[in-house]
Amino acid sequence: MRYVLAIAALVISGVLLLLGIGQRTFLAGPSEISFPVETNSEAGYALIDGGELAKMPGQANVVVRGGQAFVATGQTRDVEGWVEPYLHAELTVDTKQQRLLSALVAPAVVDAPAPGAEAEVPAALDPRGSDLWLEERSVDDESEGADASTLRVPVALGEEQTVLIASNGEDPVPSDVSLVWAQDPDTPWAGPLLVGGGLFAVVGGVLYLLAIDHNRRGLGPRRGRRGPLQGIRNAFGRSGRRRRAAAQAPVENGAGSGSGSASMRSTRGARLRRAASLPALGLAAVVGLTGCSPSYWPQLGPEPVKEETPAPTPSSAAPVPVTDGQLSRIVQRISELSNEADDGLNVDLLGERFTGDALAQRTANYTIRSAMPEYSVVPPRITDKELDYELVQSTESWPRTIFVTVESTSGSDDPADAVVEDPTAEDGADPEQTEAPATSPSLALVLTQETPQQNYQVSRVLALRGGISMPQAAPAEEGTALLANDIESLVVPPGEVGAQFAAVLQGGAEVPEAEAFDIEDDTLLKNYGKALAEQAQKQSDDKGQSMAFSVAARQGDEEPVALSTGVGGALVATTVIEEQIVDSAGGRYKPQANGAVTALSGLEGEQERLVQEVAHQLLFYVPSKTDGSKIQLLGVTSELVGVRN
């Protein structure tokens, strides 16, 4: 009977362990759920909203097969704005039929065509590298060893986010697209079954040992049988003594019979050792298979009550269009491209990320340095090291504007090798070389994204002045407002700041416009404008020359950019064009066109009249009328941009 109970316990143990293991393997269901979709071959882009992915449990993955497969995630408003001009497909999840549905969306017509004219359809774009994406992946990004034509992207979307699926824009969306949800099976009875199987294994093993002990107690002398499992201990003791005696006894006739008895005893000992190991095996199986995962156990007791988080109060402010990660990536891309363009003096490459006055100034500098490699004016190199000051316009539409500050490095090819010559060195001797001072200003970049399909472009690069303090700014995560150029709450409307400073540059500190500016010890006014013209005129007069020097200044054609700082004032970026005029005045002395003037304009030799245009990109802090302080000049970048006669 004891053997029957032991065997029954071991059989139950095996069944329970098999069921427990089966709960986590062949009884657990599929490891992932896949919904295929056949996208329309006409569409170049396909979208799926994050809410659709949440209809199924598990970790969502987008799987696209195709040599140019591309997947990106972004804010829903940004993704929809990007694909709006193009034919695209919207994907939805049909949980009943377990498939994806595709619906074509016609391109939006922004400007209605003239009567009788056909609507202009914009050319499709490659979505790779757009500043709008929070994350992007393509087949080329897959690690080695993966299927070269399969792109699998885990997607964990937040609220108001969407997935974009495409190829290269020109070709349709790859036809083989599917959504796959990886499943983490919940098997609450696996743990109890495995533990129960282990316990029955222990019980069966103990019962088996007790049955063997009972049989062993009936063998041999009946005296001295005391203590637990004495029969088993006697059996092991007799077996040990017999093995020692057999080892010491000489080999005689009849050894075959003794050998057979020893073999029988060895077989019985092996059975005892195997029986003793069963409980250990059961416990090892329980510990190894159950682990500590809560998915192995039923959740007893009342379900935890989820604390309802109060819904945030709707804000009238528009959202901030870029995250910290997006902004860092934008700055890095601009830095890499501008440095490459600076190295090769490549205007075409520069045009991919620069526009307006920033492009005009660097283009002029490249033109001069291409003809005059020794030209000393080299723009500072833009780095991707952001400083702790930025203003991001809060908006859902376009254009969008960002103000960000970054570090710069020397504009020379190798700042570590920059040297100056010692003017006291004797003729014929090697000049003493000393390191040039490594001074490079912090830069403020004004970035503008005109449309969803364009990336952010640098419209102004401003070198911040040493010793200045930037005004307190609103937190970047809250964003700021782009102010109208005719707003009346500031000391001077943003649209008039450049014109009034141009009047000061041309007329000096005596003009009425100077009252609004803090111009004490202003180095720009000392080195340019009226002061420069007066100094040049004096030098010409001292030499007995008849040339006439004058200056005219005006606000540039590019619109000023005004961003609220959140403390009542605004940062205003604008450009003033200064015209430095030299006229022969009918005398025999005439202005000479050479050097940078010739490189930029092609003019050579004597000219009756020479006009050099210098662009000053300017950054002002304009306080509110109630503040009572004056306008401060925070940064300036000056460059010769044009020459005419």
Side-chain angles (χ1 to χ4, degrees), residues 51 57 81 157 179 229 266 346 354 356 382 425 481 516 519 543:
L157 295 184
L179 293 185
L229 302 178
S266 175
N346 190 334
F354 281 66
I382 300 172
I519 58 175
K543 295 177 181 179

Short mmCIF file of all heavy atoms in Angstrom, two decimals, residues 51 57 81 157 179 229 266 346 354 356 382 425 481 516 519 543:
data_model
loop_
_atom_site.label_atom_id
_atom_site.label_comp_id
_atom_site.label_asym_id
_atom_site.label_seq_id
_atom_site.Cartn_x
_atom_site.Cartn_y
_atom_site.Cartn_z
N GLY A 51 -3.81 55.72 -31.07
CA GLY A 51 -5.02 55.13 -30.50
C GLY A 51 -5.39 53.82 -31.16
O GLY A 51 -5.96 52.94 -30.53
N PRO A 57 -3.76 44.39 -26.98
CA PRO A 57 -2.79 44.34 -25.88
C PRO A 57 -1.40 43.95 -26.39
O PRO A 57 -1.25 43.34 -27.45
CB PRO A 57 -3.36 43.25 -24.97
CG PRO A 57 -4.12 42.34 -25.90
CD PRO A 57 -4.69 43.24 -26.96
N GLY A 81 0.34 67.34 -40.82
CA GLY A 81 0.72 68.53 -41.57
C GLY A 81 1.74 68.20 -42.66
O GLY A 81 1.70 68.79 -43.74
N LEU A 157 3.90 54.70 -28.28
CA LEU A 157 3.44 56.05 -28.56
C LEU A 157 2.77 56.66 -27.34
O LEU A 157 2.09 55.98 -26.57
CB LEU A 157 2.45 56.04 -29.72
CG LEU A 157 3.00 55.61 -31.08
CD1 LEU A 157 1.92 55.75 -32.14
CD2 LEU A 157 4.21 56.43 -31.46
N LEU A 179 1.19 44.96 -38.60
CA LEU A 179 1.36 45.36 -37.20
C LEU A 179 1.43 44.09 -36.37
O LEU A 179 0.61 43.18 -36.53
CB LEU A 179 0.21 46.24 -36.73
CG LEU A 179 0.09 47.62 -37.37
CD1 LEU A 179 -1.03 48.39 -36.71
CD2 LEU A 179 1.39 48.39 -37.26
N LEU A 229 14.09 5.61 9.99
CA LEU A 229 14.69 5.01 8.81
C LEU A 229 15.83 4.06 9.18
O LEU A 229 16.85 3.98 8.50
CB LEU A 229 15.20 6.09 7.84
CG LEU A 229 14.15 7.09 7.36
CD1 LEU A 229 14.81 8.13 6.46
CD2 LEU A 229 13.01 6.39 6.64
N SER A 266 24.48 -3.80 -5.27
CA SER A 266 24.77 -2.51 -5.91
C SER A 266 23.53 -1.96 -6.61
O SER A 266 23.26 -0.76 -6.59
CB SER A 266 25.91 -2.68 -6.93
OG SER A 266 26.13 -1.48 -7.63
N ASN A 346 31.19 76.06 -49.50
CA ASN A 346 30.15 75.52 -50.37
C ASN A 346 28.83 76.23 -50.11
O ASN A 346 28.12 75.93 -49.14
CB ASN A 346 30.02 74.01 -50.12
CG ASN A 346 29.15 73.33 -51.15
OD1 ASN A 346 28.28 73.94 -51.75
ND2 ASN A 346 29.39 72.05 -51.36
N PHE A 354 20.50 77.35 -44.31
CA PHE A 354 20.61 78.78 -44.05
C PHE A 354 19.71 79.54 -45.00
O PHE A 354 19.50 79.13 -46.15
CB PHE A 354 22.05 79.25 -44.20
CG PHE A 354 22.93 78.94 -43.03
CD1 PHE A 354 23.23 77.62 -42.70
CD2 PHE A 354 23.47 79.94 -42.24
CE1 PHE A 354 24.04 77.32 -41.62
CE2 PHE A 354 24.27 79.66 -41.16
CZ PHE A 354 24.56 78.34 -40.84
N GLY A 356 17.92 83.87 -45.69
CA GLY A 356 17.87 85.27 -45.30
C GLY A 356 19.23 85.89 -45.10
O GLY A 356 20.19 85.64 -45.84
N ILE A 382 29.90 77.04 -35.88
CA ILE A 382 28.75 76.71 -35.03
C ILE A 382 28.94 75.30 -34.48
O ILE A 382 29.15 74.35 -35.23
CB ILE A 382 27.45 76.81 -35.83
CG1 ILE A 382 27.27 78.23 -36.38
CG2 ILE A 382 26.25 76.42 -34.97
CD1 ILE A 382 26.12 78.36 -37.35
N ALA A 425 60.86 90.32 -34.82
CA ALA A 425 61.85 89.37 -35.34
C ALA A 425 62.70 90.04 -36.41
O ALA A 425 62.22 90.84 -37.20
CB ALA A 425 61.14 88.14 -35.92
N ALA A 481 5.79 83.41 -27.06
CA ALA A 481 4.97 83.94 -28.15
C ALA A 481 5.83 84.70 -29.14
O ALA A 481 6.78 85.40 -28.76
CB ALA A 481 3.87 84.85 -27.59
N ALA A 516 16.23 106.18 -26.92
CA ALA A 516 15.64 104.89 -26.56
C ALA A 516 16.67 103.79 -26.34
O ALA A 516 16.33 102.73 -25.82
CB ALA A 516 14.65 104.45 -27.65
N ILE A 519 23.45 103.35 -25.31
CA ILE A 519 24.58 103.37 -26.25
C ILE A 519 25.88 103.79 -25.58
O ILE A 519 26.87 104.07 -26.27
CB ILE A 519 24.28 104.29 -27.44
CG1 ILE A 519 23.98 105.72 -26.94
CG2 ILE A 519 23.12 103.75 -28.25
CD1 ILE A 519 23.78 106.70 -28.07
N LYS A 543 45.68 114.37 -45.62
CA LYS A 543 46.58 114.05 -46.74
C LYS A 543 46.37 115.00 -47.92
O LYS A 543 47.02 114.85 -48.95
CB LYS A 543 46.35 112.61 -47.20
CG LYS A 543 46.72 111.57 -46.16
CD LYS A 543 46.40 110.16 -46.67
CE LYS A 543 46.74 109.10 -45.63
NZ LYS A 543 46.42 107.74 -46.11
#
